[in-house]
Amino acid sequence: RAKSAGRNAARLFLPHMQRDADARLELERGLRTALERQEFSLRFQPQVDMRGRPVGAEALLRWKHPRLGEVSPATFIPVAEETGLIHALGAWVIAEVCNHVREWRRLGMDFGGRIAVNVSPWQIAHPQFVPNIEAQVKAAGIEPSALTLELTESALLNDFDTALRTLHQLSAIGFRLALDDFGTGYSSLAYLQQLPLDELKIDRTFISALQPAITDPLAGFIVDIGRRLGMTTIAEGVETRQQRIMLETLGCDIVQGYFISLPLTADDFQRWMTRHATASEVAVISDF
Ligand code: C2E
Ligand code: MG
Ligand code: MG
Ligand code: MG
């Protein structure tokens, strides 16, 4: 960086840069011990179809730092990636999700749904990722199709051929694959067609563009792409009834967002599922 900035570039080190570096170091140090100190937990955000029936949930990671409090995954995931901690952390998330799914099954929870797990590009690129995750679901005694792995387009950009091979292996084992935050990355439609994807998640920015009296063509365009390629389409970040109705009109299959439910603790999610599985469809819809 310093070199490419040129010999004459001024190298100022300002007080706020020191603070940033300190904060980053504290995060990094905290992350290294967070797993053993059991500071991580998961939330589960329900996903429902257009008739309001629960189809599953997305697992979202939470970190409670002893001094800083709740740190957003948007802040700590990049640090975990840069330090290589993402592999252990990602494995913990998968193990935790497997345990919850097994427990929910044991309790007889009507669990036709699947749990979506966010997977970092760094995890996908690791040569042991496929055998490890396969061993994890086997050890937990659940079938791979109970999990949907959410990938972002950045997982594909570095080494497309290797990523493609990995995705085909995961798909052949039975994992479902979703492309997360679709529409914000750079992958071409030609690439998209080659990927063994089951689901396309429309990024929140296109959903929040759906306002009364505003006709934003992009959400509908993305739903069409997904449908034409034979994928299930999911809208993330659905916050209003209006947006849900517009998405139904556009032909979107599944919705997720604050309008349906906040991300819930495992216990609350279990109660939510029980309540919604037994409620009549009409009641579920008016619940929105
Ligand atoms: P994402 O996978 O796109 O997850 C959706 C994010 O939108 C979540 O933020 C969720 O809490 C938030 N959200 C859900 N509904 C709404 C809504 O109606 N309105 C708004 N404004 N936001 C909504 P969160 O939990 O802070 O996670 C941020 C990102 O961190 C995730 O984006 C994902 O990329 C990453 N992440 C979370 N958990 C994990 C994990 O276990 N592993 C990895 N590698 N990344 C994770
Ligand atoms: Mg996601
Ligand atoms: Mg997303
Ligand atoms: Mg997103």
Side-chain angles (χ1 to χ4, degrees):
R1 225 338 126 73
K3 255 190 195 149
S4 66
R7 268 171 226 276
N8 300 325
R11 301 268 295 146
L12 289 176
F13 200 78
L14 302 167
H16 78 267
M17 294 168 82
Q18 183 61 51
R19 277 200 306 276
D20 288 353
D22 289 349
R24 152 82 210 223
L25 210 63
E26 178 164 26
L27 279 186
E28 194 178 319
R29 225 181 275 128
L31 270 181
R32 289 190 193 281
T33 52
L35 264 180
E36 61 195 57
R37 292 185 183 169
Q38 304 188 320
E39 291 166 6
F40 292 110
S41 62
L42 292 180
R43 298 292 179 273
F44 296 89
Q45 188 175 36
Q47 300 173 334
V48 299
D49 70 15
M50 287 304 175
R51 300 172 78 178
R53 290 174 301 210
V55 296
E58 177 176 10
L60 294 161
L61 189 56
R62 295 291 176 262
W63 178 28
K64 195 159 185 205
H65 185 283
R67 203 182 65 80
L68 304 171
E70 287 272 347
V71 185
S72 162
T75 304
F76 70 78
I77 292 287
V79 180
E81 290 175 336
E82 286 160 32
T83 53
L85 292 166
I86 191 67
H87 302 291
L89 184 52
W92 180 86
V93 170
I94 291 159
E96 192 74 0
V97 166
C98 288
N99 286 339
H100 281 301
V101 171
R102 186 181 46 191
E103 176 66 4
W104 290 328
R105 292 255 166 84
R106 196 184 63 76
L107 293 170
M109 187 164 139
D110 180 13
F111 201 78
R114 318 170 246 282
I115 304 298
V117 182
N118 291 285
V119 176
S120 155
W122 296 80
Q123 290 173 267
I124 293 290
H126 194 288
Q128 287 302 307
F129 179 71
V130 176
N132 283 351
I133 190 173
E134 188 177 17
Q136 281 186 295
V137 292
K138 203 173 258 172
I142 61 172
E143 63 286 3
S145 61
L147 300 190
T148 302
L149 308 181
E150 290 195 2
L151 322 157
T152 53
E153 291 166 65
S154 55
L156 311 165
L157 287 180
N158 236 340
D159 181 350
F160 184 77
D161 291 335
T162 306
L164 186 62
R165 217 174 318 122
T166 303
L167 297 198
H168 276 289
Q169 286 169 356
L170 291 167
S171 177
I173 292 167
F175 293 106
R176 291 174 56 88
L177 300 177
L179 193 58
D180 204 354
D181 303 333
F182 182 69
T184 59
Y186 299 98
S187 58
S188 73
L189 293 176
Y191 278 4
L192 190 64
Q193 197 175 16
Q194 289 182 54
L195 302 170
L197 296 171
D198 302 281
E199 299 173 6
L200 202 58
K201 286 194 91 169
I202 309 166
D203 191 69
R204 189 166 75 225
T205 51
F206 304 110
I207 309 307
S208 46
L210 293 177
Q211 306 277 345
I214 297 182
T215 45
D216 185 286
L218 287 177
F221 180 58
I222 295 171
V223 170
D224 281 347
I225 293 174
R227 290 175 77 90
R228 282 170 192 268
L229 294 177
M231 301 176 201
T232 299
T233 51
I234 303 191
E236 67 174 22
V238 179
E239 293 184 349
T240 67
R241 174 190 304 272
Q242 183 78 25
Q243 287 167 348
R244 199 206 72 86
I245 293 169
M246 288 168 103
L247 285 160
E248 183 168 13
T249 310
L250 294 174
C252 183
D253 301 304
I254 293 170
V255 284
Q256 174 188 345
Y258 299 160
F259 181 60
I260 291 87
S261 170
L262 292 171
L264 304 170
T265 63
D267 286 346
D268 285 343
F269 173 63
Q270 187 189 315
R271 278 188 279 274
W272 189 94
M273 283 293 280
T274 309
R275 202 153 25 91
H276 286 78
T278 51
S280 76
E281 273 168 25
V282 175
V284 172
I285 287 170
S286 64
D287 221 28
F288 272 170

